[in-house]
Amino acid sequence: MSARSHGQSTRAIHGTHLRDAHGAPHLPVYNTTTFAFPSTADLLDVVEGRKAGALYSRYGLNPTTFALEETMAGIEEAEAAMAFSSGMAAETALFAQYGRDGIICLGDAYGGTLELLADQLPLLGIRTTFLLGDELGRLEDELRGGPKLIFFETPTNPALEIFDISAIAALAHRHGALVAVDNTFASPVNQRPLDLGADLVVYSATKYLGGHSDITAGVVLGSAEKVAALAPWRKNLGTAIAPETAAMLSRSLRTLTVRVKAQNAAAQAVAEAMDADPRVARVLYPGLASFPGHELARAQMNGFGGILTIELAADGATTSRVADRLELFALAPSLGGAESLATQPVTTTHHGLNPAERSRRGITDSMIRLSIGLEDPQDLICDLDQALGEVRA
Ligand SMILES: *Cc1c(COP(=O)(O)O)cnc(C)c1O
């Protein structure tokens, strides 16, 4: 019975062969830093890579971490997965290993990613070229210049712009470049970049994979060879996931598919209600037929996700008052949890950008990004309706 023949929900629950000697249904937490060996020869087998095995938790060589990585690889149907202490830690290893000949970052990216690429990595000689969606015509020229890693999110934050993973991967591969996709917004339930030709996928597991706003973690997936090359970075930067966090993340993965599917349906309902509300000027959600990226999203995604951005028919100050008046939506700059969150990007995720740069990225003062949780969708719509009372229709 091959795990590959099972559906994604089954793989998420039965995705590891690692079992406990007492018959526990899930591998207990190996909350230990080190592991003893019967002999020096046995220890050397693991140290020198002849045998897989637990050795030292900071190396990521811990059974709880192995179980998580095996399950993640199964969910994504990737050859290998590697777990990190955060999404940013995962990206740091990825950029350090594969970005040394230059990185091209497409579209908007997570604020921390933009800072890492623009401010810290140049200090180490790693340079990034930034191309927005309307500058993709320059991508091939940039590839001729030699950069070897293309990195992007799709859908992007907060405008939900959709990039064509297959087309970008085909172009990159013609020029010998690699493609890494930050699939945090979509999750493996809604999008499978490796199937579309991407070489590597990175997640902030802090969001949908964790799903309860209670753990910080990251994961990189891809071929066994490409993922293994990240191991020395994780080991010596000290960015392995903690065993307790790995166990919590494994627990979260068992409900990933049901959570994401419920959030997709709720986000669609909220998007449609907001689209019909005259106090809302524009709704950015890939699941709306009127959304510019809708057709592409339909072609490359299995679901449209739990994030939408509404642009109010109001100024920035009124938009802040609407955000403040929300009761069920907590005002917090994260996403992917069981509870719904709202954030006005100009005050949080994109606060650091100057107004010219924001407008170049299509981010306005009137936008509120919503991360739809697992509450009853009708309650969320009612909450938005009462908060929109601040807007004169
Ligand atoms: C949150 C986030 C990150 C960073 O992840 P952390 O786990 O907070 O380090 C990276 N990319 C995206 C798209 C994110 O939303």
Side-chain angles (χ1 to χ4, degrees):
M1 195 168 63
S2 145
R4 288 288 184 268
S5 62
H6 291 144
Q8 195 173 42
S9 299
T10 309
R11 300 197 303 274
I13 292 164
H14 298 279
T16 177
H17 74 281
L18 291 167
R19 292 280 174 253
D20 143 68
H22 302 282
H26 302 298
L27 196 71
V29 190
Y30 280 82
N31 223 350
T32 88
T33 58
T34 191
F35 296 85
F37 288 83
S39 72
T40 306
D42 288 301
L43 184 145
L44 281 175
D45 278 345
V46 174
V47 169
E48 292 173 1
R50 283 184 297 276
K51 238 177 85 184
L55 177 64
Y56 191 65
S57 291
R58 196 242 311 148
Y59 294 6
L61 301 181
N62 175 294
T64 313
T65 306
F66 294 151
L68 166 67
E69 291 172 340
E70 195 185 2
T71 304
M72 250 332 277
I75 289 173
E76 191 100 18
E77 294 186 286
E79 262 178 41
M82 188 169 288
F84 290 83
S85 56
S86 69
M88 290 312 303
E91 288 183 29
T92 301
L94 176 76
F95 295 145
Q97 177 63 23
Y98 294 110
R100 294 198 295 270
D101 297 329
I103 299 168
I104 304 174
C105 176
L106 306 181
D108 234 320
Y110 177 72
T113 304
L114 292 177
E115 272 182 43
L116 177 67
L117 292 173
D119 300 338
Q120 284 83 53
L121 292 182
L123 302 175
L124 305 176
I126 297 179
R127 311 249 158 238
T128 297
T129 304
F130 297 92
L131 294 181
L132 291 184
D134 57 4
E135 298 170 321
L136 279 196
R138 279 171 45 204
L139 179 56
E140 186 148 27
D141 279 346
E142 292 292 342
L143 283 169
R144 286 198 191 94
K148 289 291 182 281
L149 179 68
I150 299 179
F151 175 85
F152 59 97
E153 297 177 18
T154 180
T156 64
N157 173 32
L160 289 313
E161 189 175 5
I162 308 291
F163 284 95
D164 187 334
I165 299 172
S166 309
I168 293 166
L171 181 65
H173 294 157
R174 278 205 295 283
H175 291 272
L178 294 179
V179 172
V181 175
D182 180 336
N183 203 37
T184 300
F185 266 43
S187 91
V189 180
N190 288 332
Q191 185 165 268
R192 300 264 297 269
L194 297 175
D195 292 353
L196 298 166
D199 301 285
L200 292 146
V201 174
V202 59
Y203 288 102
S204 168
T206 311
K207 314 296 167 50
Y208 286 101
L209 303 183
H212 298 73
S213 308
D214 57 1
I215 59 171
T216 298
V219 183
V220 177
L221 299 109
S223 71
E225 186 196 344
K226 288 201 177 64
V227 171
L230 303 177
W233 292 105
R234 177 177 71 168
K235 170 178 167 234
N236 295 327
L237 291 171
T239 51
I241 193 169
E244 281 182 315
T245 310
M248 282 182 80
L249 185 49
S250 286
R251 187 183 60 178
S252 290
L253 291 179
R254 286 166 212 141
T255 56
L256 177 70
T257 58
V258 284
R259 283 188 284 109
V260 169
K261 284 175 187 170
Q263 283 163 321
N264 288 345
Q268 184 75 37
V270 173
E272 286 170 11
M274 292 298 99
D275 201 35
D277 194 311
R279 298 165 296 183
V280 176
R282 204 156 62 113
V283 180
L284 303 177
Y285 183 64
L288 293 178
S290 58
F291 183 72
H294 176 67
E295 284 307 320
L296 182 52
R298 261 170 57 116
Q300 77 178 9
M301 299 180 79
N302 307 312
F304 297 117
I307 315 276
L308 61 130
T309 294
I310 56 176
E311 192 171 24
L312 307 188
D315 61 13
T318 308
T319 303
S320 295
R321 286 203 304 279
V322 170
D324 291 347
R325 201 161 131 176
L326 288 165
E327 288 168 4
L328 287 176
F329 287 85
L331 208 53
S334 190
L335 55 109
E339 58 290 309
S340 292
L341 302 179
T343 186
Q344 188 181 5
V346 289
T347 66
T348 53
T349 52
H350 293 71
H351 190 61
L353 296 180
N354 64 47
E357 188 57 26
R358 274 187 221 140
S359 92
R360 205 167 83 85
R361 289 166 185 268
I363 294 153
T364 69
D365 296 357
S366 311
M367 283 180 167
I368 298 179
R369 186 191 77 194
L370 303 173
S371 167
I372 303 300
L374 293 167
E375 302 92 340
D376 294 291
Q378 207 48 46
D379 294 336
L380 298 176
I381 293 167
C382 284
D383 190 27
L384 285 160
D385 179 58
Q386 66 76 23
L388 285 167
E390 295 288 338
V391 182
R392 310 250 168 280

